[in-house]
Structures are given as C-alpha cells and as structure tokens.
Amino acid sequence: SSAGPLAGVGAASRVSLVFTPAAGTLTLTMSGDVRLAQLEANSFASPYIATVGAAVSRAAETAELSPVLEALLQRSAATLAVRGQRLERNAARIVGVNGTSSLLRAQSNRLSVLMDGSAQLATAAGADLRMSSYAAACAFDGTGRSVARNGVAVVTDTGSPPSSRGSVYLGRDAASTATAYGDGWYEYLGIAPTRLSEGKIQEIILY
C-alpha cells in the first residue's frame, strides 16, 4: 500500500508524513532534489541525524536561556510568551525550569497549556498543539499569575509560579524528562520584566 507521495513546497522546506505501514517490506523511494531524508519508527519527525549507512544516535538538544534572560524570569514579576508549531509530545515542556517543573507546558491531551507552581493552572481546551501553529503565555507577580494560549481566554489565580527558576530551558526541563521534550518548531520567545494585563496577553498570543 502507498503512504505518499510526500512533496516539498519549495527550497529549504521540511515536510513529514506519519503512517502505519502494512505487513511486509517497507520501501522509501525519493526523486527530485531531496536532501536530508529520514525514515524512522516514530509518531513524529525528529531532528535529522546523518547515518552514513549505519545506525547512530546523538545527545538530546539543550537550549538553556542566557543568564540575562533567566534573571528576568527570576524576578518577582514577569511575563513570558512563546510562539511555535507542532508541539508533538503529550505533556511537552514549552519552557521548563529546575526539576520537572515548567513555566509553560502542554497538558497530556495537547489541547491545553498549563503552568506548574503552587498548583497547576491550566487553560481551557483549544486546537491540538500538534496539528498547527500555537502561541502561549504566562505572567506572574506577588498577587497571582495568569496563563493563556491562542483561541481561549486567559485564566488567572492567586497562586505562584515554580519557586525554583535558577535555570530556564526551551523545550525541556532541568531533569531532561525524555518523554516530555518539546519537539517542534519555535518561532518567537518574548520576556517582559512585569506582569502584563490580561488584555495585553491576549494581544501577544493572537495567531
């Protein structure tokens, strides 16, 4: 049976296809100007690994924010916003901190975004984060916190964010929880040294 074709949309484009093969031999046929093709047993496309005819592996990526940006999120008040595409894993960390905590992460159904801390604060359900572009934001100060994602209202409470924010990572947490890496594409990360209003947060996460 055929699971394709899968066609690129122009120079430097990346396309992927998830399928369940039938029993028997699985054949990958390429034509045209194809570069960095990869066939893998996975439910999502991972970063390309050059195999050169033999199976290889590589260490997981680590994207820790600079000390200057980390210092902004260690303040008593701050706002964080992220835009990206296709957050593939359940409970994926968007921005993680020390231990297994996150300032922003997906819920296990990938429909809501939440913040850890004194308790989990989650948005209402929106579109599947795996299927499209998304925007998410959180904000906090001494009176409470807010969390939001595109397509649904901002939610607030009087709780606090994760107390240990000495290290801040994009797409993972400090514990390197392998099943919760934030695979996908990140387009924008913004930090403000104050807690923005709900209206301003809504403007930021419009997509």
Side-chain angles (χ1 to χ4, degrees), residues 43-64:
S43 59
F44 54 89
S46 66
Y48 175 75
I49 304 172
T51 59
V52 194
V56 298
S57 62
R58 62 167 177 77
E61 297 167 336
T62 297
E64 183 174 0

Side-chain angles (χ1 to χ4, degrees), residues 58 81 85-86 113 128 152 161 167 187 189 203:
R58 62 167 177 77
Q85 298 181 44
R86 297 193 56 151
V113 169
D128 191 337
V152 299
S167 299
E187 301 172 342
L189 184 145
E203 291 179 19

Side-chain angles (χ1 to χ4, degrees), residues 110-122:
R110 295 187 311 275
L111 302 179
S112 302
V113 169
L114 64 81
M115 172 195 274
D116 293 314
S118 53
Q120 290 184 348
L121 177 63

Side-chain angles (χ1 to χ4, degrees), residues 10-116:
S13 68
R14 179 183 181 184
V15 292
S16 62
L17 174 70
V18 178
F19 63 94
T20 302
T25 302
L26 177 60
T27 302
L28 172 63
T29 303
M30 296 179 291
S31 63
D33 186 12
V34 180
R35 305 178 186 184
L36 309 181
Q38 184 159 295
L39 177 65
E40 55 188 314
N42 216 337
S43 59
F44 54 89
S46 66
Y48 175 75
I49 304 172
T51 59
V52 194
V56 298
S57 62
R58 62 167 177 77
E61 297 167 336
T62 297
E64 183 174 0
L65 302 193
S66 72
V68 172
L69 295 180
E70 287 179 328
L72 291 175
L73 292 170
Q74 291 159 11
R75 295 166 58 99
S76 59
T79 299
L80 167 70
V82 178
R83 294 175 185 158
Q85 298 181 44
R86 297 193 56 151
L87 194 64
E88 297 285 354
R89 296 178 189 256
N90 298 338
R93 275 52 170 170
I94 300 172
V95 176
V97 292
N98 298 71
T100 60
S101 295
S102 299
L103 287 168
L104 286 170
R105 71 175 175 87
Q107 279 198 318
S108 58
N109 58 13
R110 295 187 311 275
L111 302 179
S112 302
V113 169
L114 64 81
M115 172 195 274
D116 293 314

Side-chain angles (χ1 to χ4, degrees), residues 81-86 132-135 170 184-190 207:
V82 178
R83 294 175 185 158
Q85 298 181 44
R86 297 193 56 151
S132 61
S133 299
Y134 69 89
L170 182 65
W185 293 268
Y186 294 91
E187 301 172 342
Y188 168 86
L189 184 145
Y207 218 115

